[in-house]
Amino acid sequence: MKTQVAIIGAGPAGLCLARMLSLHGIHSIILERQTRAYVEARVRAGMLEQGMVELMRRAGVASRLDKEGLVHSGFKLIFDNQISHIDLASLTGGKQMVIYGQTELTKDLYDSVLADSNIQVFFGAQEVCPSGFLEEKPRVSFYYQNTAYTLSCDYLAGCDGYHGVTRAAIPKSCLREYERTYPFGWLGLLSDTPPLDEEAIYIHHQRGFALCSMRSRTRSRYYLQVPLSEQVSDWSDQDFWDELRRRLPASLADSLITGPSFEKSIAPLRSFVVEPLRFGSLFLVGDAGHIVPPTGAKGLNLAASDVHYLSTALIAWYQEGRSDLLDRYSATALHRIWAAVRFSWWFTSVTHKFSDDPIEQKIQLAELDYLLQSTAGQTTIAENYVGLDLAEDFV
Ligand code: APR
Ligand code: PHB
């Protein structure tokens, strides 16, 4: 079996990359360990930067996103029981965010990828093992429906997330890993109830951080900071709503509409980057190369910028025989990744409770207060939140 680009992992990164390549006549095969239904059901974030929306448009998969996505021109930040508004659009020259659940985005990507004759997807691929990255033709061995296959390719894209096989297949001595874990997680809840507000609300509270977000006008997504020792089974829906109310100012707590949850899960928070993102013919893309805590809503958006850079570089190689962009992929992608790692870490550090030491909370409040009363401070938050520009010289 052979292809031009072998893609491991059919999450948003792998699917979107395959579509971008196909639009330029480049064939790819995607190997995914799970079933389509499993991947589609995974509940993740859904706050898209404009750059990600544009990438989806270029990939030809944005018709439902353009119809159903909720455009957000700002968000709210509550600290000391005061509500501040970050007007993203006016602070960034008109940039906005779009709310569209990753589950919906993944469905749209699957519909277009599975109808695309330049892309073949193997769901339920087992023991996926990439090798030969420094040889002329790298390959991937795997089992599909109990039969062993070897896929030969020109290039390999590791889009298999943090726990995937591609990063692990690179010799340890050739990579440098940077990692920070946080002593808490986010307990998330989805319910078919109207959102608390038309914008996302980030809440600093002495009991811990909370976030009120949404998927649509009738579906809400809420999060509570919880200790890592907690289990989802420790939290009934009633416990969740009660705790969320405690972290909200009274006026908002009174208007919160609750209902039964249909998903609850705890996600740990992590900052992680591996350098470089290339080893021979293997390129790491999305969560396989970096993880950010969800506070800045950057995970999915960073995967999109990686896809933009790698697809541009591969297209330049196949259409013009140019290897310079492939050579620059890692450094260019990492520049934007580190900026988002910094922002996500910072936003986490000023909004979450790290200890019971009262000086910590006072310093967080002083920092938020200073930034929010200054246009420069608000602008720096807004610019990072809507996503920093892509490198203009990567063409
Ligand atoms: N073999 C084949 N597929 C694998 C393997 C493997 N050994 N290991 C993991 N995968 C698949 C997973 O099943 C998953 O479908 O790789 C895919 C990785 O998808 P994501 O974890 O969604 O990663 P990515 O596409 O980089 O997503 C970027 O979207 O899902 C969010 O949190 C994620 O915000 C991040 C963004
Ligand atoms: C979400 O809607 O799931 C969401 C929104 C904003 C974030 C993180 C998650 O920062």
Side-chain angles (χ1 to χ4, degrees):
M1 195 186 292
K2 65 177 190 187
T3 186
Q4 288 173 297
V5 180
I7 298 176
I8 302 185
L15 296 166
C16 203
L17 177 65
R19 271 299 291 169
M20 294 307 291
L21 297 178
S22 167
L23 292 174
H24 293 82
I26 301 165
H27 188 267
S28 63
I29 290 184
I30 309 182
L31 303 177
E32 166 59 52
R33 183 170 55 177
Q34 306 287 356
T35 61
R36 172 181 180 171
Y38 180 94
V39 180
E40 277 186 356
R42 272 193 309 228
V43 176
R44 300 263 178 84
M47 181 70 89
L48 313 187
E49 293 172 3
Q50 232 161 266
M52 163 117 217
V53 174
E54 275 151 28
L55 183 76
M56 294 293 285
R57 286 189 189 133
R58 277 192 280 137
V61 282
S63 58
R64 206 157 64 92
L65 162 61
D66 280 331
K67 249 188 266 135
E68 296 175 17
L70 301 178
V71 176
H72 281 202
S73 58
F75 69 87
K76 297 188 175 74
L77 190 53
I78 299 181
F79 56 98
D80 236 359
N81 273 318
Q82 301 292 317
I83 306 178
S84 299
H85 184 236
I86 303 279
D87 187 336
L88 296 171
S90 73
L91 292 161
T92 64
K95 289 196 185 156
Q96 298 173 318
M97 302 292 281
V98 176
I99 287 263
Y100 190 68
Q102 187 174 315
T103 39
E104 302 312 304
L105 194 85
T106 309
K107 268 185 212 136
D108 299 344
L109 280 162
Y110 273 139
D111 285 345
S112 91
V113 157
L114 295 175
D116 189 325
S117 59
N118 277 325
I119 307 170
Q120 221 181 325
V121 189
F122 289 87
F123 288 106
Q126 299 303 309
E127 295 181 43
V128 171
C129 179
S131 61
F133 310 125
L134 301 178
E135 295 164 26
E136 213 207 327
K137 286 276 175 193
R139 45 200 182 274
V140 193
S141 61
F142 64 101
Y143 282 87
Y144 179 65
Q145 296 180 342
N146 296 322
T147 305
Y149 292 90
T150 300
L151 170 62
S152 159
C153 56
D154 302 330
Y155 290 104
L156 262 154
C159 302
D160 49 349
Y162 180 69
H163 299 287
V165 285
T166 52
R167 190 178 69 252
I170 302 174
K172 278 251 170 292
S173 59
C174 298
L175 290 181
R176 174 142 190 213
E177 295 188 349
Y178 301 82
E179 180 161 32
R180 171 158 303 177
T181 53
Y182 298 80
F184 42 73
W186 277 19
L187 169 64
L189 176 148
L190 267 176
S191 62
D192 276 328
T193 51
L196 178 59
D197 190 79
E198 58 196 18
E199 295 182 334
I201 309 180
Y202 293 80
I203 302 137
H204 173 282
H205 194 275
Q206 62 202 24
R207 297 181 63 87
F209 169 82
L211 170 59
C212 303
S213 182
M214 69 207 71
R215 289 291 170 271
S216 70
R217 290 201 172 81
T218 54
R219 181 167 290 184
S220 298
R221 178 74 165 154
Y222 296 102
Y223 298 96
L224 292 174
Q225 175 188 349
V226 294
L228 276 178
S229 52
E230 305 271 301
Q231 311 282 324
V232 178
S233 54
D234 299 336
W235 288 83
S236 68
D237 287 359
Q238 194 58 48
D239 293 337
F240 187 100
W241 297 122
D242 289 346
E243 182 58 27
L244 180 59
R245 278 204 186 88
R246 284 185 206 108
R247 299 186 191 185
L248 287 168
S251 59
L252 284 174
D254 289 345
S255 55
L256 178 70
I257 299 175
T258 63
S261 70
F262 62 91
E263 198 268 350
K264 265 203 301 253
S265 52
I266 295 181
L269 270 63
R270 183 192 307 277
S271 299
F272 171 82
V273 182
V274 69
E275 289 189 344
L277 296 171
R278 176 184 189 176
F279 181 67
S281 49
L282 169 65
F283 295 85
L284 299 177
V285 183
D287 278 17
H290 43 83
I291 299 282
V292 287
T295 324
K298 290 282 153 267
L300 182 57
N301 293 299
L302 277 184
S305 56
D306 290 357
V307 167
H308 162 77
Y309 290 131
L310 186 58
S311 59
T312 304
L314 286 167
I315 292 161
W317 165 255
Y318 281 110
Q319 291 192 336
E320 303 165 51
R322 281 172 57 191
S323 57
D324 58 317
L325 295 185
L326 288 171
D327 293 339
R328 283 164 54 206
Y329 165 74
S330 177
T332 309
L334 281 165
H335 186 256
R336 195 170 191 276
I337 289 161
W338 277 115
V341 168
R342 185 211 67 82
F343 176 65
S344 308
W345 158 82
W346 171 80
F347 204 17
T348 305
S349 72
V350 287
T351 51
H352 287 64
K353 179 175 178 169
F354 284 74
S355 72
D356 286 323
D357 188 344
I359 194 173
E360 173 198 281
Q361 200 200 342
K362 287 288 185 190
I363 289 172
Q364 287 176 325
L365 292 175
E367 181 167 2
L368 288 169
D369 182 55
Y370 162 68
L371 287 170
L372 271 292
Q373 55 77 36
S374 133
T375 307
Q378 287 194 24
T379 306
T380 188
I381 297 173
E383 279 177 353
N384 281 279
Y385 194 87
V386 298
L388 298 175
D389 289 342
L390 291 163
E392 274 174 20
D393 61 350
F394 201 81
V395 282

